[in-house]
Structures are given as C-alpha cells and as structure tokens.
C-alpha cells in the first residue's frame, strides 16, 4: 500500500498552490500549457525535471538521433514550421523547434525547471493533489501528467553489468564526454534507437559488436533535404505546407488497414522490406541473421537506409547468440565466446508498461497507479483519465501510442479533451471529478475487442506494446481521426462529479 505523505512543507519551503499543475514539458506538456494560456487560464504551473523544454527530444541526443515521421506532420498544427531543412528532421532541429514554440507562445515563465516530482497523493478532505518534488511541496486542484511513455531508460538485467570497468551508458543518456574514436564498442539492442546509433558511430570506432535479440523489420527511409524553392513555397504559398502535411497524414494512415484491421495486407510492406534486405545485405549468412521471424508491423517498423550497410562493414559484427554475462572488460555470449570491449551502449528501450513513476502516485483510496494497474491491468478512459484518480488527467495514458504516424496528432487530440475538461470543471464549479469505473470498463472492452485481430496481437512477436497480462495497453487500435473525434468534446457524463470536497455524486 502507498505511503501517505502529510508534510505540509519540505525543507522549510512553503507549500505552493496552483489551480493546475502539469508535470513534464515535452511535446504534450508544452502543448497543454500553451492551450491553457490561450483559453485564458493563467493559474497553472509546469514542473519539469530537466533544465529545458523538449522531453524525449531534449534527452535523446545520441549520434544519428532523428525522427521516423516527416517533420511537416511531426509538429504542432498551430505552429507549422516552413523552415524544416529536410523531410525527416534530426534531433537538434526538432529540439530547436520545440524551444522556439515555447518562446513564441511565452509559456516559459510558467515552468519550474529542475523540478522532479517524487510523489503525488490525492487528499479526499481537500479534494486536492499533494505533490512532492525536488524543489519542495505543491498542491493542485487538477494534476495533469505529461511525463511521456519513453522517459525511464530500461537497463537490462544482465549478470555482471554493474561490474563493467569501461564506459557504459544508455542511448537516452548519451555521455558526450566519452570519445568512442578508435575504441572497441558494443551496442546492446536493435530497436529504433540502436539502428540510428550503429551507422552513426561505425566509421569512428575500431570495432563494433551489435548484440541482436530479435531482428527488426526495416523499410526505406525517404529522407532528403528540402530544396530552397520548396522551402520558399512552404513559407509563401498559402496552404502549401498544409497540403504536404495532409498528404503525409493520408499515406501514413493507410497503414492502419494492415496494422489494425486486416493484417494479411501487411504483406505489401513485407515484400518491400524483403527486397530491401536482398539488395542491401549480400552476405547470405548475415541476411539469414537479420531476417525477422514475425509479421511486419507486430513490433515497431523501423526505417533506415544506413543500418544494413553499416552491419556489412569490416569492423562491425552482428552477434545473435544472446548475452550470458558482462565481465570487467568483455561481453560473454551463451556460446561461451568472450568479446573484449572498451565501451557498451545500452539501447534497450524504456520502461513503458512498468514505469517506476507509477509507484509514486496514489489516488482516492490510497492505492498507487502501480497497484491499480497490477490488479486490473493498465486501463484508462480515452487514454486521458483513470478511475480512482480524481482530478487527474493523463497525456499519453494507456492505449494512446502509435507506431506508424505522428504522436503529435494524438497529443493535440488529448489537448482538446483535457482543456475542455478543465473549462468544464471551472464552469460548473466542480471540486472533484473522476471517471466512472463502468464507463472505463466499457471503453476498454471495446478497445481490446479491436486489438484482438490486430497485427500486434497476431503477428507472432513479443513486444513492449503488451503488458505482463498479455494485453496491449500501449497502442491505439484504429484510425487516428477516430481518436480525434472521440476526444473532440469533454464528456462529463462519463464522470462522477461533486461540488464539495467530500465525494458525492451530483
Ligand atoms: O527501444 P526498443 P528504442 N538483452 O524497446 C533489445 C521511440 N523512438 O530505444 O526486440 C538484449 O524499441 C530489444 O530486443 P527485443 C520509438 O517509439 C523513436 O530503440 O525486445 N537485448 C530491442 O532490440 C521506439 O519504439 C524514434 O528482442 C535487449 C532493443 O533492445 C521507442 O522509442 C527514434 C534486452 C530495444 O528496442 C524505443 O526505441 C528512436 C536485453 N536484456 C526511438 N532488452 C523516432 O524516430 C531489450 N533488448 C521517432
């Protein structure tokens, strides 16, 4: 059971109260802050543990970091950027864009940076959230979690990993003081991050061992610089950029047919991926190793034109035997082979369905999010509210994730819903509001029904999309425009509400 924190002040600092507190300032928290300001709501704060806005785009600074979704779509609809220099932007350009948006909309002064939320409890007596942070205690009438799903690095539980004597760091915590030039390096993992890191460092290192547990499917990356006339057109011809955005959206959205509705249609993409394999991997032994054994789309589809050629380099080995242990200066595989290395890059993803943060947030009955998820599975309502957690909204909550198109589109859908919720709470003078269990259950029965036949469930792979109960609690299983229309207006009828602090239905 959760601890009940009753401190009224931490470190002798007074408890600060804000009507609304947003936690996290990546694409979702920042977008939410901008919308609140735009609708005239000034009584809010954004608590951000980092030293800047940007979230995952601030943290993931590894060599080669870039977006898998074209920039014209991977940006806010209210802040289109005609200046994108290429079709698929790299991390520095995306981070600069996010910083520019924060400045343009003047919301930085609402932020407290370097402020790490360490716990939050709903207090029934006051109908407020009590929040502990590295910068003291806060209270809020409404808490909005915008911490993202890809923020807590997942470090593999490999025997001896803590005893490694060389340099070791996670892809999302890149050590820029480390110079890999001329070194023997191991990369563990072959997911979206690793396949960008491997070609970016392969030429620089003396030797690179890439440890693959599951071969991913790779598709071509249609990346290119935008020509000056194109950029001028995006800037000066009304509608040009919106048209480009709409075209990207339509092409990406067509993948939903195969992913969620009729998985055999994924064979079209599989044929393209197999042709790419034949052309780019000439060595039959290597090709056999990198050929996936599940239907394309079951795990996230990756895009790269550089990964396979990097694996074919003289100084790069793909190791598929499975890691048995890590010793002082080597990695030992299950076949007994020991490979000496100077540095290990851990590109093993994030705690998505088991975030440590879930243990620090406790709701109406004192149970933490982790405990509620343990008992009933990771379920929410429209990805934005969870029963037992009154006056709290979630950006990128359960089943909001995507593998095929822009998360910013989903984020903006949630901004519509949650900002309307806030306006409704204020207009009706509500003190508590909590999504009803029956509404949440009904929503999830429909959701899991849609997921039953989808490629993520039937494609024959293991992925972090699934929780330990075997449910896909991560992905949205339909067209994204359906999510948009579902969240267009806040549906207060799905919630228990009260105008006094003591819980009572009105
Ligand atoms: O992490 P992952 P990621 N021993 O979880 C392997 C987003 N993203 O950081 O497949 C050995 O995808 C694991 O193997 P397996 C995007 O949403 C976006 O690469 O589980 N290996 C896998 O190969 C993405 O989905 C962009 O068998 C172990 C890898 O590590 C998400 O971030 C760019 C292991 C982890 O892959 C995460 O991507 C980059 C172990 N114990 C990332 N544990 C864009 O462009 C795990 N692995 C938008």
């Amino acid at each position: 059971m959760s601890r009940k924190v009753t401190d009224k002040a931490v470190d002798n600092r007074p408890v600060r109260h804000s009507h609304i507190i947003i936690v996290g300032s990546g694409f979702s928290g920042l977008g939410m802050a901008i919308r609140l300001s735009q609708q005239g709501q000034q009584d809010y704060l954004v608590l951000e543990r980092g030293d800047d806005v940007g979230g995952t785009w601030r943290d993931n600074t590894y060599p080669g970091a870039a977006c898998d979704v074209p920039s014209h779509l991977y940006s806010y609809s209210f802040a289109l950027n005609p200046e994108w220099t290429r079709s698929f932007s790299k991390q520095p350009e995306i981070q600069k864009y996010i910083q520019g948006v924060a400045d343009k909309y003047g919301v930085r002064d609402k932020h407290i940076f370097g402020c790490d939320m360490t716990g939050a409890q709903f207090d029934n007596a006051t109908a407020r959230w009590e929040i502990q942070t590295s910068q003291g205690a806060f209270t809020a009438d409404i808490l909005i979690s915008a911490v993202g799903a890809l923020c807590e690095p997942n470090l593999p539980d490999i025997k001896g990993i803590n005893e490694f004597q060389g340099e070791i760091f996670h892809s999302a915590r890149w050590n820029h003081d480390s110079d890999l030039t001329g070194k023997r390096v191991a990369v563990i993992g072959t997911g979206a991050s690793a396949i960008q890191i491997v070609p970016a460092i392969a030429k620089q290192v003396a030797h690179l061992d890439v440890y693959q547990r599951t071969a991913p499917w790779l598709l071509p990356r249609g990346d290119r610089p935008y020509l000056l006339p194109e950029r001028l057109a995006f800037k000066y011809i009304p509608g040009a950029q919106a048209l480009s955005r709409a075209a990207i959206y339509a092409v990406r959205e067509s993948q939903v047919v195969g992913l969620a509705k009729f998985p055999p249609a994924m064979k079209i993409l599989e044929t393209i991926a197999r042709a790419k394999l034949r052309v780019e991997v000439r060595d039959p032994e290597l090709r056999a190793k990198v050929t996936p054994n599940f239907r394309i789309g079951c795990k996230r589809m990756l895009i790269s034109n550089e990964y396979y050629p990097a694996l074919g380099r003289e100084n790069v080995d793909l190791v598929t035997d499975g890691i048995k242990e890590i010793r002082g200066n080597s990695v030992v595989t299950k076949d007994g082979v020991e490979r000496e290395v100077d540095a290990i890059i851990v590109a093993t993803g994030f705690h998505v369905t088991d975030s440590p943060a879930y243990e620090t947030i406790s709701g109406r009955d004192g149970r933490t999010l982790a405990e509620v998820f343990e008992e009933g599975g990771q379920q929410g309502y429209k990805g934005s509210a969870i029963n037992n957690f009154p006056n709290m909204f979630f950006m990128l909550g359960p089943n909001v994730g995507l593998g095929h198109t822009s998360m910013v589109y989903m984020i903006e859908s949630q901004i519509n819903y949650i900002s309307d919720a806030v306006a409704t709470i204020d207009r009706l003078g509500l003190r508590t509001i909590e999504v009803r269990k029956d509404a949440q259950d009904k929503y999830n029965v429909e959701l899991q029904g849609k997921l039953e036949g989808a490629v993520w469930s039937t494609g024959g792979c293991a992925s972090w999309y699934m929780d330990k109960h075997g449910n896909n609690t991560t992905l949205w299983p339909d067209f994204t425009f359906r999510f948009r229309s579902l969240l267009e207006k806040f549906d207060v009828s799905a919630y228990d509400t009260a105008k006094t602090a003591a819980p009572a239905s009105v």
Side-chain angles (χ1 to χ4, degrees):
M1 196 55 92
S2 66
R3 74 211 143 91
K4 174 81 180 121
V5 179
T6 50
D7 320 10
K8 292 298 172 210
V10 175
D11 303 339
N12 295 326
R13 279 176 282 198
V15 178
R16 281 166 281 183
H17 178 74
S18 181
H19 182 39
I20 302 164
I21 285 184
I22 301 170
V23 184
S25 190
F27 257 112
S28 61
L30 176 64
M32 193 70 232
I34 291 170
R35 178 67 69 83
L36 289 181
S37 282
Q38 286 174 333
Q39 66 185 30
Q41 175 60 258
Q42 285 307 318
D43 191 0
Y44 75 89
L45 286 173
V46 185
L47 310 184
E48 167 52 58
R49 70 178 176 183
D51 58 1
D52 200 352
V53 297
T56 193
W57 293 106
R58 180 200 60 223
D59 291 344
N60 282 272
T61 57
Y62 60 76
C67 190
D68 284 351
V69 178
S71 308
H72 283 302
L73 187 60
Y74 197 82
S75 40
Y76 295 116
S77 64
F78 60 83
L80 295 185
N81 175 22
E83 310 288 350
W84 292 118
T85 57
R86 46 192 319 122
S87 49
F88 289 81
S89 295
K90 296 186 188 301
Q91 177 269 338
E93 195 172 2
I94 299 172
Q95 177 60 2
K96 197 166 154 236
Y97 163 79
I98 299 172
Q99 290 168 324
V101 172
D103 293 336
K104 181 176 172 191
Y105 288 88
V107 293
R108 273 189 193 266
D109 61 353
K110 291 289 185 187
H111 284 66
I112 303 179
F113 291 107
C115 186
D116 189 7
M117 184 179 88
T118 52
Q121 306 78 36
F122 186 71
D123 182 348
N124 292 300
T126 58
R128 281 181 171 174
W129 281 93
E130 294 181 349
I131 299 156
Q132 299 78 47
T133 79
S134 56
Q135 294 199 29
F138 293 80
T139 57
D141 302 313
I142 300 169
L143 180 60
I144 301 176
S145 166
V147 296
L150 304 173
C151 60
E152 295 295 342
N154 172 34
L155 300 172
D157 187 15
I158 298 173
K159 186 180 165 203
I161 194 165
N162 295 324
E163 274 66 66
F164 182 65
Q165 298 297 309
E167 295 166 71
I168 180 163
F169 45 86
H170 188 272
S171 54
R173 301 284 182 271
W174 194 269
N175 179 3
H176 289 278
D177 294 333
S178 160
D179 183 4
L180 298 176
T181 310
K183 291 196 174 147
R184 296 163 302 176
V185 179
V187 171
I188 303 178
T190 53
S193 303
I195 65 122
Q196 295 182 332
I197 293 168
V198 167
I201 65 170
K203 285 185 195 149
Q204 173 196 2
V205 301
H207 186 83
L208 183 59
D209 291 321
V210 180
Y211 288 86
Q212 171 187 286
R213 193 165 67 176
T214 311
W217 280 108
L218 250 72
L219 289 165
R221 186 178 179 90
D223 187 22
R224 66 178 181 84
Y226 281 125
L227 304 171
L228 184 62
E230 287 176 291
R231 288 166 64 181
L232 290 174
F234 290 138
K235 194 163 184 175
Y236 294 112
I237 300 178
Q241 201 178 2
L243 196 63
S244 159
R245 189 177 160 93
I248 298 164
Y249 177 80
V251 170
R252 293 266 164 165
E253 203 63 1
S254 66
Q255 291 182 15
V256 176
V257 176
L259 290 168
K261 312 277 178 196
F262 184 62
M266 294 306 287
K267 283 203 177 123
I268 301 168
L269 286 180
E270 208 165 294
T271 306
I272 297 170
R274 283 188 194 282
K276 178 180 171 66
L277 251 174
R278 274 194 300 277
V279 171
E280 292 182 4
V281 187
R282 306 305 297 177
D283 173 8
E285 200 183 321
L286 179 60
R287 195 189 301 156
K289 281 182 172 179
V290 293
T291 302
N293 59 2
F294 55 90
R295 174 156 283 170
I296 194 169
C298 183
K299 287 163 94 82
R300 185 184 169 97
M301 293 177 282
L302 308 182
I303 57 168
S304 175
N305 300 336
E306 297 161 341
Y307 178 65
Y308 288 148
L311 290 184
R313 288 175 60 88
E314 284 281 299
N315 67 333
V316 178
D317 284 334
L318 183 75
V319 185
T320 56
D321 294 307
I323 301 173
K324 183 174 157 222
E325 65 176 303
I326 291 176
R327 294 188 184 149
N329 64 348
S330 64
V331 180
V332 185
T333 40
K334 287 180 181 152
D335 57 358
V337 177
E338 181 169 2
R339 293 174 178 85
E340 292 200 348
V341 280
D342 305 305
I344 299 178
I345 294 156
V346 183
T348 46
F350 300 87
H351 287 282
V352 178
T353 57
D354 59 347
S355 171
Y358 297 162
E359 286 165 25
T360 66
I361 299 171
S362 37
R364 172 175 46 75
D365 66 3
R367 282 181 305 156
T368 61
L369 258 179
E371 287 165 337
V372 169
F373 287 163
E374 175 68 30
E375 286 160 30
Q378 192 163 332
Q379 299 189 349
Y381 180 67
K382 301 189 176 181
S384 307
I386 298 175
N387 176 257
N388 193 47
F389 294 85
N391 297 13
M392 181 167 186
F393 295 97
F394 295 80
M395 304 287 300
L396 305 179
N399 292 100
V400 178
L402 302 172
H404 69 289
T405 190
S406 174
M407 280 308 297
V408 185
Y409 183 89
M410 301 299 270
I411 286 168
E412 286 196 50
S413 305
Q414 290 199 281
I415 289 173
N416 292 343
Y417 186 77
I418 297 171
S419 62
D420 195 26
V422 169
T424 306
I425 291 167
D426 291 347
R427 192 177 66 250
L428 300 179
L430 303 176
R431 290 289 301 281
T432 64
I433 182 159
E434 178 183 349
V435 68
R436 289 197 329 269
K437 182 81 169 55
D438 63 312
Q440 180 172 300
D441 288 347
K442 183 168 178 288
Y443 176 78
N444 280 282
V445 167
E446 283 169 23
L447 198 77
Q448 290 302 327
K450 285 185 182 176
L451 280 160
E452 256 171 36
V455 71
W456 311 295
S457 319
T458 62
C461 73
S463 79
W464 53 262
Y465 293 153
M466 318 298 281
D467 69 6
K468 64 179 183 183
H469 304 287
N471 291 321
N472 186 332
T473 56
T474 311
L475 294 182
W476 171 247
D478 208 332
F479 294 105
T480 60
F481 55 78
R482 294 233 165 102
F483 188 74
R484 175 63 58 94
S485 69
L486 196 66
L487 274 75
E488 201 176 350
K489 282 253 148 243
F490 181 65
D491 47 350
V492 70
S493 61
Y495 291 73
D496 281 333
T497 60
K499 290 188 175 176
T500 57
S505 292
V506 290

